[in-house]
Amino acid sequence: MKIALVIFDRFTDLDLFLPWDLLNRVRSVAGVEDWQVKIVGTKDTHVSDAGLPIQTMGTIDELQEMDAVLFTSGVLVPELIQDTEYMARLKLAPDRQWIGSMCSGALILAALGLLDGKEATTYPTRRKLLEKMNVKVVAQDFVSDGRIATAAGCLAAQQLAEWVIASAIGPKVAAQVLRTIQPVGKGL
């Protein structure tokens, strides 16, 4: 299983780090050796909104090879979806890939036509923009429709990671992974 977490300049930190951590726990929790998680972007290093430089492990040109692709969010996403060169490089296969987004990352999915006429969620500050893109926006933390999912609010990254894990190898493993992050007395 190959998973890509897509970042860009001024991405939201938690939208990368929470799914990164949860998705990488699959190897230790379930012993799945061929489980790979990569951070990809357009440059060798992207700087988060909090100013943290993050080195990428590949480029967005590899997305078509992935089994799952998750887009982070960030303040520059509305500008990013206007970049025709960037958007043209996002080669996805929704018939065989699990594709998801965090908060404003839903704008990328909508710009690619993956949310046309569907329900989705996003951060409240991006709601009107997403609605203008032929998407029915609902006030929920997580929405999935087949192989496409959107999450809203940084901590909803937990649901997005759980969805990928459950879809790829089952809800039992997803629940095992989530138990490892529960507060003491809640899951262990």
Side-chain angles (χ1 to χ4, degrees):
M1 177 78 174
K2 296 178 186 176
I3 303 166
L5 298 172
V6 182
I7 63 171
F8 30 79
D9 287 332
R10 298 209 47 208
F11 70 90
T12 303
D13 297 63
L14 197 51
D15 293 351
L16 172 67
F17 301 128
L18 185 52
W20 167 261
D21 184 274
L22 289 172
L23 292 167
N24 275 297
R25 289 174 187 243
V26 168
R27 282 191 305 278
S28 61
V29 168
V32 180
E33 295 299 321
D34 65 344
W35 189 268
Q36 301 172 17
V37 185
K38 292 176 77 171
I39 299 168
V40 302
T42 57
K43 304 187 294 190
D44 291 339
T45 302
H46 285 284
V47 179
S48 75
D49 198 44
L52 188 63
I54 299 295
Q55 187 173 355
T56 59
M57 305 156 83
T59 72
I60 59 172
D61 301 311
E62 301 172 50
L63 293 180
Q64 205 165 20
E65 302 166 18
M66 301 296 159
D67 299 301
V69 178
L70 303 179
F71 291 89
T72 60
S73 70
V75 297
L76 298 180
V77 170
E79 295 171 29
L80 195 60
I81 62 172
Q82 299 303 317
D83 182 340
T84 54
E85 182 181 313
Y86 178 83
M87 295 302 293
R89 290 175 67 186
L90 301 177
K91 306 282 190 226
L92 302 174
D95 57 320
R96 66 165 185 79
Q97 292 175 311
W98 289 285
I99 303 169
S101 65
M102 284 300 307
C103 298
S104 64
L107 297 172
I108 297 170
L109 301 188
L112 292 169
L114 298 174
L115 299 178
D116 284 351
K118 295 182 179 184
E119 285 190 352
T121 189
T122 191
Y123 200 70
T125 59
R126 299 297 183 221
R127 181 184 183 113
K128 287 182 182 178
L129 184 53
L130 189 58
E131 287 173 337
K132 290 179 183 177
M133 300 174 82
N134 191 33
V135 178
K136 181 181 179 191
V137 181
V138 295
Q140 293 177 208
D141 57 349
F142 181 77
V143 176
S144 67
D145 184 344
R147 290 184 165 267
I148 308 294
T150 54
C154 293
L155 295 180
Q158 176 178 317
Q159 284 99 318
L160 193 59
E162 177 183 19
W163 171 75
V164 169
I165 298 165
S167 297
I169 53 180
K172 184 176 179 181
V173 173
Q176 289 174 307
V177 169
L178 291 181
R179 275 195 298 277
T180 67
I181 66 162
Q182 296 299 312
V184 172
K186 299 289 184 188
L188 294 176

